[in-house]
Amino acid sequence: MSNRKKVVVIPGDDAAPEAVYPTVDLLRSLELDIDFEFPPSGGSAEETHGTGFPDETRAAIDAADATLYGAGSTSSAEIVRYLRWGKGTYANVRPARWVPGCKSPLAHPEKVDLIILRENLEDLALGIGGDLEELFSLGLASKRAGRSLQQIAQEFGGGKYALKVITEGGAERIVRYAFELARERRAAGKRGKVTCGTKHNLIPEPDGLFRDVSARVAEEYPDIEYENWLIDDFARRLIVEPEEMDVVVLPSLYGDIFSDAAGGLIGGLGLCPSGCYGDDYAYFEPIHGTAPDIAGQNIINPTATIRTAGMMLRHLGYANTADRLEAAIDAVYAVEDRLTPDQGGSATTTEFCNAVGDHLA
Ligand code: ATP
């Protein structure tokens, strides 16, 4: 049986493909035993196949060892839905590590080396919501406002709701993942600490559950430091004492928001990779969106996508090559050579990737 790995590449929409294609070229230059496949997807597949997610693309994802995903607009939404809920990729690992040369707004960005671990499948990410009227028959009331939901809605002419859903099992597996990750980081010489953030005073049901589960799981890991902050207090701490953060485990929405914030601390979204892991599958995507405002200009910063590819290589068993790739990126920043405009340079995406390639050679 061949040991070759198969990676499905979904380039995504707007500016995302401009980062993905040269990233795959870099990976190919490493001459690993990986085959890259580009099944039809997104906007172009809508034109040719009448859907952004044809059956053959789903089959390719199923047959692959991992998927590398750029960033998608609505035409790729079904693909993401499948990669997340279809594949059970509940753990979204979002590292934020500053390296010299990156344009951080902080005086001491060298303190930032953390991971936002975002629960990927529950919370507001489930997308359960609708018109308030749908809930009237449940007889819900606000103790704080002293009124029924119906009264509140009718007074203000109706409205919408979204459900914040957190399950015990969903919370437990992501928190456990956080502690295992912290142990790995400690073994690698890092702090090895878990921080949890919730708004359990305002939202005692789902956020209280998440906090209680995290505190319970923490007792099983006495070797790992653990703390829980109210999410607003966490926001302040992330800015004033980022060196206190190592693995930060958060429900989906907070994880989404604070991974962008952590990205801001190190110099912007163009630097931030991520991997989404489940028990049987993993896919990899930068945390940024499709950057439509800079599409077609060949100036998107591919660092996030290349580091994302590095996380994928690690997952596929190529840890040494992933280290080489990371070191090559760091070297480009260290000499502030051929940086893209978001980092104060004037290089194109292509020129940045060539610089990484030169340091790899
Ligand atoms: P989404 O909602 O899909 O996450 P978004 O609305 O947060 O997307 P992004 O596409 O992430 O938006 O872009 C936000 C801003 O950051 C835009 O101005 C975009 O150009 C910029 N940006 C995002 N990614 C990069 C990148 N890799 N390089 C340079 N600029 C980027």
Side-chain angles (χ1 to χ4, degrees):
M1 214 174 80
S2 162
N3 283 330
R4 292 190 73 80
K5 308 271 188 201
K6 189 168 120 177
V7 166
V8 159
V9 183
I10 309 286
D13 305 294
D14 300 323
E18 297 167 40
V20 171
Y21 285 111
T23 296
V24 174
D25 288 343
L26 277 173
L27 295 182
R28 283 189 166 132
S29 76
L30 295 166
E31 298 185 347
L32 304 168
D33 287 339
I34 299 178
D35 294 319
F36 297 94
E37 193 180 333
F38 293 75
S41 64
S44 57
E46 275 179 343
E47 283 171 26
T48 53
H49 292 68
T51 166
F53 189 28
D55 289 346
E56 67 187 89
T57 304
R58 179 183 171 135
I61 288 172
D62 287 346
D65 296 286
T67 292
L68 179 63
Y69 181 79
S73 58
T74 46
S75 53
S76 306
E78 274 303 296
I79 302 179
V80 176
R81 193 197 62 69
Y82 186 64
L83 287 169
R84 286 171 76 172
W85 288 275
K87 291 298 191 187
T89 49
Y90 64 91
N92 188 188
V93 176
R94 298 180 149 197
R97 175 177 66 92
W98 180 81
V99 297
C102 289
K103 213 171 125 209
S104 166
L106 297 183
H108 292 288
E110 67 278 3
K111 295 173 171 179
V112 187
D113 180 1
L114 57 89
I115 288 180
I116 303 285
L117 178 61
R118 173 194 185 196
E119 201 290 324
N120 215 20
L121 306 180
E122 298 194 340
D123 192 17
L124 276 300
L126 279 168
I128 302 173
D131 291 323
L132 283 177
E133 278 179 13
E134 295 168 14
L135 303 179
F136 288 171
S137 63
L138 297 175
L140 299 172
S142 165
K143 281 191 201 132
R144 290 178 194 147
R147 340 258 296 268
S148 73
L149 182 64
Q150 194 155 354
Q151 286 171 323
I152 295 164
Q154 282 167 352
E155 184 177 346
F156 291 103
K160 306 279 183 189
Y161 72 94
L163 275 189
K164 182 173 173 85
V165 177
I166 289 181
T167 67
E168 179 127 15
E172 177 159 345
R173 68 181 174 178
I174 194 70
V175 171
R176 217 169 266 292
Y177 197 101
F179 279 94
E180 293 296 328
L181 199 54
R183 269 193 182 154
E184 270 176 41
R185 280 169 69 85
R186 172 168 290 186
K190 302 201 182 208
R191 177 94 177 243
K193 169 183 176 182
V194 172
T195 301
C196 176
T198 47
K199 190 71 182 168
H200 45 273
N201 53 352
L202 186 74
I203 321 171
E205 298 87 1
D207 279 33
L209 176 64
F210 198 92
R211 185 190 65 152
D212 291 349
V213 168
S214 71
R216 175 165 54 75
V217 173
E219 287 175 12
E220 295 175 38
Y221 293 83
D223 53 316
I224 299 295
E225 273 180 90
Y226 162 78
E227 61 192 10
N228 172 272
W229 304 116
L230 283 168
I231 195 70
D232 38 351
D233 189 26
F234 167 77
R236 181 187 60 80
R237 288 171 187 275
L238 180 66
I239 293 166
V240 300
E241 50 181 35
E243 71 277 13
E244 285 300 315
M245 307 296 165
D246 188 45
V247 176
V248 180
V249 62
L250 299 171
S252 180
L253 182 64
Y254 305 145
D256 192 24
I257 294 167
F258 286 105
S259 49
D260 271 39
L265 292 181
I266 63 166
L269 293 181
L271 306 173
C272 303
S274 101
C276 300
Y277 304 83
D279 292 333
D280 309 312
Y281 202 83
Y283 81 98
F284 298 83
E285 62 172 339
I287 77 166
H288 62 72
T290 62
D293 51 327
I294 54 170
Q297 299 179 46
N298 193 26
I299 56 164
I300 185 170
N301 188 341
T303 305
T305 305
I306 304 171
R307 288 205 197 276
T308 295
M311 292 177 77
M312 182 180 74
L313 291 186
R314 223 171 272 289
H315 174 72
L316 294 175
Y318 295 103
N320 291 340
T321 315
D323 288 345
R324 267 183 68 209
L325 192 59
E326 294 284 350
I329 297 170
D330 294 355
V332 177
Y333 280 99
V335 292
E336 301 196 24
D337 175 27
R338 289 179 271 180
L339 302 185
T340 47
D342 60 303
Q343 298 302 309
S346 57
T348 61
T349 309
T350 311
E351 286 165 343
F352 180 90
C353 290
N354 289 343
V356 175
D358 290 347
H359 284 281
L360 273 174

